[in-house]
Amino acid sequence: MTEITTRQRDVLFQPPEVRPLVDGFQRRISYLRLSVTDRCDLRCSYCMPEQMTFLPRKEVLSLEELHQLALGFIARGVTKLRITGGEPLVRRDIGDLFTALGRELGRGLEELTLTTNATQLAKHADSLAKAGVRRVNISLDTLDPVRFEELSRRNRLPQVLDGIAAAKEAGLKVKLNTVALKDINEHEIADLVSWAHGQGHDVTLIEVMPLGEVDGDRIDHYLPLTDVRAKLERHWGLTDIDHSTGGPARYVDVAETGGRLGFITPLTGNFCSGCNRLRVTATGQLYPCLGGGERVDLRAALRSDQPEANLEAALNEAMRIKPERHHFDISEAGQAPHLPRHMSMTGG
Ligand code: SAM
Ligand code: SF4
């Protein structure tokens, strides 16, 4: 990756004072989720079909462009940056991007983090920590190797567990994300949470969302977290707490495990009023809402002859069109998804 010099950066993204991103509903945007690839080494059945068609590589932003884009957002007051995908760690030379972005920590950027399936985390954990990453979100839906292979269509649970252990070893704070799936992992959720809390990891449960075509019908496996919580409360004492990681999760303390459990409920509980985030795909398409079709083309801005001015205008446009709330409806999942985009495209 060719490094952007300080001078180039100053030319591209001046002036130095922050011009905050504030949308039409007076929400201050400080969090960017930046997808670096739509590719993945797993095929989680709720996320993508087995025969997923990936983007031609030339459509995907280069590492230099991703870096420039991130700097543009930091110049507009984004303080938290999450690298995601697809699977971010399958992207070649991704370590270089983390190293480059890590240099922005303390210079506007307050947190650099990632969401990963952890299959390749064992080999990256140390360098991520060295780049300044302190926390990592890891997706784990089951601890059963057979179920893992059925769900992700790949036999990789041992690598994932190695990745989680390596992250802990490297001093990274791990949070596990678990999609709650009826008839798949619903009976294992308490065990998974107990295991994670025993390892010192927080867990957040997520409702499956109707994003993109998959092979089956998602509605068959949709499990409202209100039901999950009610079941857990038969055996556990759950106390609502104020803890926030700046996202949509609502947290409880679990008396029996001593750990923290989050619930992300896009379907049963709308969380849009406090939204502080934007998402950019690996092709540079900015989606101001995960659950909306609104879009701004940042790649065109970046590749124009006036990248600074055009990026500025594109970000202002994103603020203008960011909708007040998403309109997911699980009843439209499966055969007729509410939105054609897969989560692996928009970046989870
Ligand atoms: N590959 C990485 C991973 O799995 O952590 C990062 C990208 S993945 C798209 C990000 C998150 O989105 C994962 O936690 C995954 O479980 C979640 N996800 C994918 N499709 C989803 C869907 N339709 N509904 C809810 N969560 C979904
Ligand atoms: Fe890959 Fe993450 Fe989607 Fe699973 S959820 S297929 S790991 S992008």
Side-chain angles (χ1 to χ4, degrees), residues 40-44 46-48 85-87 117 139 344:
C40 189
D41 53 349
L42 300 183
R43 295 285 184 281
C44 302
Y46 55 79
C47 180
M48 57 174 79
E87 174 45 41
N117 63 25
S139 305
S344 59

Side-chain angles (χ1 to χ4, degrees), residues 37-49 54 84-88 115-119 139 141 148 151-153 179 342-345 348:
T37 179
D38 65 325
R39 289 167 194 257
C40 189
D41 53 349
L42 300 183
R43 295 285 184 281
C44 302
S45 55
Y46 55 79
C47 180
M48 57 174 79
F54 294 112
T84 181
E87 174 45 41
T115 300
T116 174
N117 63 25
T119 57
S139 305
D141 301 321
F148 185 96
L151 191 55
S152 70
R153 305 184 180 109
V179 178
H342 291 91
M343 189 79 139
S344 59
M345 178 78 185

Side-chain angles (χ1 to χ4, degrees), residues 207 222 224-226 248 250 263-273 325-326 328:
E207 286 173 347
Y222 168 60
L225 289 184
T226 41
R250 300 284 163 264
F263 296 88
I264 298 186
T265 56
L267 287 313
T268 56
N270 189 271
F271 47 52
C272 302
S273 61
R325 52 157 297 164
H326 73 67
F328 285 132

